[in-house]
Amino acid sequence: MRALQVQDHSEKPVFLDRSIPTLAANQILIRTAACALNFADLLMIRGTYQETPALPFTLGMEVAGEVAGLGAEVTGFEIGDRVAGFAGSGGLAEYCPLEATRCLKLTDGMSFDTAASALISYGTSHLALTHRAKLTSADTLLVLGAGGGVGLTAVEIGAALGARVIAVARGPEKLQVCKDRGATITIDSAEEDVVAKVKSLGGVNVVYDPVGGDPFVAALKCCRPEARYLVIGFASGDVPQIKANHLLVKNVDVLGFYWGGYMGFAPQVLLHSLRDVFAMISKGQLNPHIGGSYDFDQALEALADLKARKSIGKLVVRGPV
C-alpha cells in the first residue's frame, strides 16, 4: 500500500510503498476513503506534538472508509461497514489499522469526507463546550480563531446549543462563513479592537481559545465574573502565562482541554459525544465546512495550504484508491 510517511523531522514527508499492516485482535482494518488534516499533523512533522509517534510513521489523524479486515476479538463490525475513527496517525495511507473502540458506524447518508472532517474538530468543540464548560443558552460565547477548522465548529455548536456567539477571525471572507454558521456577532481582529468591542457588548461567559498568545491576554480581559475559559490549543505558537490574581479577582475558571486525552482515561465520554455530533449532523443541525478536497497525490500540497492558513474549515485528502 502507499503511505505518506515522516522519516526525519527535518525533512518533508515522502510517499512510500509499505506492507498492509497485520491486525491486532482488537483492531479493524479501514480501507481509507478520506483523511482530514489537522494543525497537529504539522507539529508531528516537526516532532513537536505531545503525542508524536516514533519515526518513521504515517501521517493522518482522522480517517473514514470501509472495513476491510477484522481482528479476532472484534465484535459489532462487519466487512464492508462504513466507518470513521480517530487514528492519531496512519490515516494518510491506503489502509489504516484502528482499534474498534475508536470507530463509529456511519449512516448511509453521511459522506466519508464529512465523517472524517467531523471527528476531531467537532468532537473537540462539542466535548469542550458541553462537558467542560457546560455551555447553556443563557451564555455568551467568545470564539477565537473562529475561521479555522476547530474554531468554526465551536461557532456552529455554540449556536446550535442556543448561546449568543461572538466570532473573532481575520478578513471578511472568514467572518461571513462564521455568520453563515450561526455567529450572532463577528469581529475582524485585523481591523477592530477585540477587547473594546466585546466589553461594549457586556463581556462573555465562556471563551473558546485555540490560539493562545496575545489573543489569550485580550480575551481574558473580556470575561465576566465566573466565566469559563477553555484552553484548546496554541495555534499562534505562543503559550501564554496566566497571572493568577486576574483569575482571583473575577472568579474565572481556566479549563484545560485535550480531546485525545479522553481516549485514554474516559473513552466512553468521548464516544458518547461523537455519537451526539453525528446525530446533529444527520439532523442538519451541524454542517461541516470542507475548505478543500485533495487527491492522495496532492497530500503535500494540502499540508502546505494548511500551514499557510489558506483554508476556511477543514481540508480533506481522499484515499489513494
Side-chain angles (χ1 to χ4, degrees):
M1 69 172 191
R2 293 186 69 207
L4 184 64
Q5 286 204 325
V6 177
Q7 294 194 305
D8 189 310
H9 291 305
S10 64
E11 298 178 1
K12 288 184 178 181
V14 292
F15 290 102
L16 296 172
D17 289 323
R18 287 289 180 262
S19 299
I20 295 175
T22 300
L23 292 180
N26 65 342
Q27 289 182 320
I28 66 174
L29 186 67
I30 298 176
R31 186 177 186 181
T32 305
C35 179
L37 301 185
N38 293 272
F39 185 76
D41 290 311
L42 302 178
L43 298 179
M44 283 189 192
I45 293 171
R46 300 200 305 264
T48 58
Y49 189 58
Q50 60 261 34
E51 292 188 3
T52 298
L55 294 170
F57 65 90
T58 300
L59 287 166
M61 301 180 72
E62 301 172 277
V63 63
E66 293 186 354
V67 176
L70 297 170
E73 297 177 0
V74 173
T75 60
F77 292 94
E78 297 180 358
I79 301 296
D81 281 348
R82 303 173 72 255
V83 297
F86 171 60
S89 62
L92 284 173
E94 185 176 348
Y95 292 95
C96 177
L98 194 56
E99 292 177 13
T101 54
R102 291 175 174 242
C103 297
L104 296 171
K105 290 184 181 180
L106 304 179
T107 61
D108 291 337
M110 186 175 295
S111 72
F112 290 125
D113 285 13
T114 296
S117 67
L119 290 164
I120 295 177
S121 57
Y122 278 88
T124 293
S125 293
H126 185 271
L127 195 60
L129 292 173
T130 60
H131 183 69
R132 290 291 277 155
K134 296 178 172 54
L135 185 75
T136 73
S137 58
D139 289 326
T140 295
L141 167 67
L142 176 65
V143 180
L144 304 181
V150 174
L152 194 57
T153 65
V155 170
E156 193 174 358
I157 291 173
L161 295 173
R164 181 174 74 152
V165 180
I166 302 173
V168 179
R170 297 174 69 89
E173 184 180 4
K174 290 186 176 182
L175 293 178
Q176 185 58 54
V177 174
C178 291
K179 290 178 182 178
D180 294 342
R181 288 297 186 274
T184 309
I185 299 157
T186 59
I187 301 175
D188 190 336
S189 58
E191 302 290 339
E192 300 178 79
D193 184 327
V194 174
V195 175
K197 182 69 175 289
V198 175
K199 283 188 173 182
S200 74
L201 297 168
V204 297
N205 308 100
V206 177
V207 178
Y208 183 98
D209 181 5
V211 181
D214 291 338
F216 174 95
V217 177
L220 196 58
K221 296 177 182 178
C222 301
C223 289
R224 295 174 183 171
E226 294 193 331
R228 291 91 75 198
Y229 197 113
L230 286 162
V231 178
I232 305 298
F234 312 103
S236 67
D238 181 4
V239 179
Q241 301 302 305
I242 303 170
K243 293 185 177 181
N245 61 312
H246 292 182
L247 309 182
L248 181 151
V249 171
K250 285 189 175 182
N251 293 288
V252 171
D253 292 333
V254 175
L255 306 172
F257 182 81
Y258 172 44
W259 183 81
Y262 281 84
M263 193 61 72
F265 70 84
Q268 291 307 313
V269 172
L270 187 149
L271 290 174
H272 180 75
S273 169
L274 283 177
R275 291 190 184 99
D276 285 348
V277 166
F278 277 46
M280 293 172 79
I281 293 172
S282 296
K283 294 175 183 177
Q285 295 173 303
L286 302 176
N287 182 25
H289 182 83
I290 297 173
S293 296
Y294 301 76
D295 292 335
F296 189 72
D297 290 338
Q298 299 174 306
L300 289 173
E301 177 185 338
L303 288 165
D305 287 347
L306 178 67
K307 184 177 181 179
R309 304 185 189 277
K310 292 182 179 180
S311 63
I312 300 174
K314 293 286 283 190
L315 300 183
V316 175
V317 175
R318 299 242 169 88
V321 293

